[in-house]
Structures are given as C-alpha cells and as structure tokens.
Amino acid sequence: MISRITGLVTEKGSNYLVLDLGGLSYEVFIPACVMQGLDSALSPEGRISLLTYHYYQVEQAKSVPILIGFLSQVEKDFFEIFITVSGIGPRAALKALNKPISIIAKAIDEGDLVSLKSLPGIGEQRAKEIVAKLQNKVGKFGLIQDRNLEEKTAAKNISEEALDVLLQLEYKRNEALGMIKKVLQINSQVNTTEELLNLVYKQKRLVK
C-alpha cells in the first residue's frame, strides 16, 4: 500500500499530477480543495511530497490502482470520513470536494443542504445522507485555516480576466500586470472583473 509519494511534478492537470520518482512516473489524483494549495507546497525545483489514499478501482475483468494525494493528514482524514457516507466512493469524493474543507465541514455541522447540494455530484438525497452520517463528527475540520482560499482563487480569476481584456486592448503584458497590481494594492476588496477594470481606468486617468 502506497501511503506517501515524493517526486518531481512533470505534468499538472485540472485534477491530477504526474510525479517523476527518478525514471518511474505516477499519476496522482488531487481533490480541488487540495489542488488550491499545491503551488505553495512545491519546492523551488518543482518537487512535492503527498500523503496518499491508495485503492483499487474494480472494472470489468480488471482492477486499476488509483492514488489520491493530500498535503496534510487532516485533509486525508476528512476524505476518509467523507467516503464512509453510503454511495460516496473515492471517485465521487474526489469530484465533490471542490471547496475548502472547513467550508464543507461547516455545512455538514449546520445541516446546510443547499451548500452541500452545490458540491459536484451531490444531490438532495445524498446531501441528507451526508448530514445524517457526519453531523457532529467533523467539528475539528471546521478549524482548518483555509477559509480564504476561495477568496484568493476568486481574486486570481478576476485578475486573469482583467489581464485578458487589457491584452485585447493592446496593452503590453507587463504594463497591464503593473496596473492591475497597483489597483489591488489600494483596493483589496474588488469583487468583479468590471469593477477592477473601472478602477484601472480611473487610476490611469489620475496618472495622466
């Protein structure tokens, strides 16, 4: 059973990494809630160490080994308790856990079916089963300090969209990045791309 893997990241997909362990490469699937923190966990050379959940996916006439990676034992613990819910296997959990763990744990503890139904692949009945099985059992996971990950991701997406617009308007990339950075340093609570672009425009007028 593979419990930890350390290697050089040679490929990164939307939900997986390929790690080179010195001539031998492994594909490791990563939940979105973990993927958000990968960049800060990479070494300068692009190496990473992951705890792994190792299981075999049984298909017709074959059994396929699957690795799912985590940056901490707490993340792995939450995954393992999440898949104790009837009808939620490792593949379903991999898809469903697309929000910070503390947010999901809070929704479970509060019986927030609306939030749970917003997770990919989780419908009304499954959300009720999650609450029935896990409510009052996931409190410690609500303490994980990852509540700002969604905000950081949203800010990154807004910046990228604004950059695309400025590039289309024939600004040079470095100039566009500089304008965006300057605005965000002054206005950290920007919520939309349109708002960011308006502030860039106003800032540019002030400079003139």
Side-chain angles (χ1 to χ4, degrees), residues 26-206:
Y26 283 85
E27 182 179 52
V28 185
F29 291 97
I30 311 289
C33 63
V34 177
M35 186 71 82
Q36 292 170 333
L38 283 182
D39 289 345
S40 60
L42 285 172
S43 73
E45 305 83 37
R47 295 177 64 82
I48 197 166
S49 183
L50 298 169
L51 294 168
T52 53
Y53 178 85
H54 184 197
Y55 79 104
Y56 287 87
Q57 182 172 302
V58 179
E59 301 175 355
Q60 286 187 343
K62 64 178 179 178
S63 181
V64 181
I66 302 291
L67 287 175
I68 298 176
F70 306 91
L71 292 171
S72 71
Q73 186 63 51
V74 175
E75 292 173 343
K76 184 179 178 182
D77 288 347
F78 183 80
F79 180 87
E80 290 180 333
I81 195 172
F82 196 74
I83 62 177
T84 64
V85 177
S86 177
I88 299 181
R91 278 286 194 178
L94 177 69
K95 178 181 178 182
L97 300 180
N98 74 334
K99 294 182 178 181
I101 288 174
S102 65
I103 301 297
I104 299 173
K106 183 173 182 287
I108 294 171
D109 198 50
E110 295 178 354
D112 185 350
L113 298 181
V114 174
S115 293
L116 292 174
K117 287 192 298 180
S118 71
L119 301 176
I122 303 299
E124 177 88 22
Q125 185 57 39
R126 194 70 72 220
K128 290 179 180 178
E129 291 172 355
I130 291 171
V131 171
K133 178 77 174 180
L134 302 182
Q135 194 171 37
N136 300 320
K137 297 179 181 178
V138 294
K140 72 173 183 178
F141 300 105
L143 297 173
I144 298 174
Q145 297 188 49
D146 59 4
R147 294 184 183 275
N148 62 348
L149 282 178
E150 283 188 328
E151 296 174 7
K152 289 181 180 178
T153 301
K156 182 180 178 182
N157 290 340
I158 290 169
S159 298
E160 289 175 348
E161 290 174 1
L163 176 61
D164 287 341
V165 172
L166 292 171
L167 292 177
Q168 291 171 27
L169 295 174
E170 299 186 1
Y171 284 92
K172 293 181 179 178
R173 185 179 185 84
N174 287 342
E175 182 184 7
L177 287 170
M179 291 190 293
I180 291 170
K181 182 179 180 181
K182 188 172 183 179
V183 166
L184 291 176
Q185 285 175 339
I186 301 171
N187 306 274
S188 60
Q189 301 301 316
V190 176
N191 295 314
T192 67
T193 303
E194 182 179 3
E195 182 182 358
L196 176 55
L197 288 170
N198 283 336
L199 289 170
V200 168
Y201 172 69
K202 290 178 181 178
Q203 183 68 40
K204 192 168 177 60
R205 287 185 62 190
L206 287 174

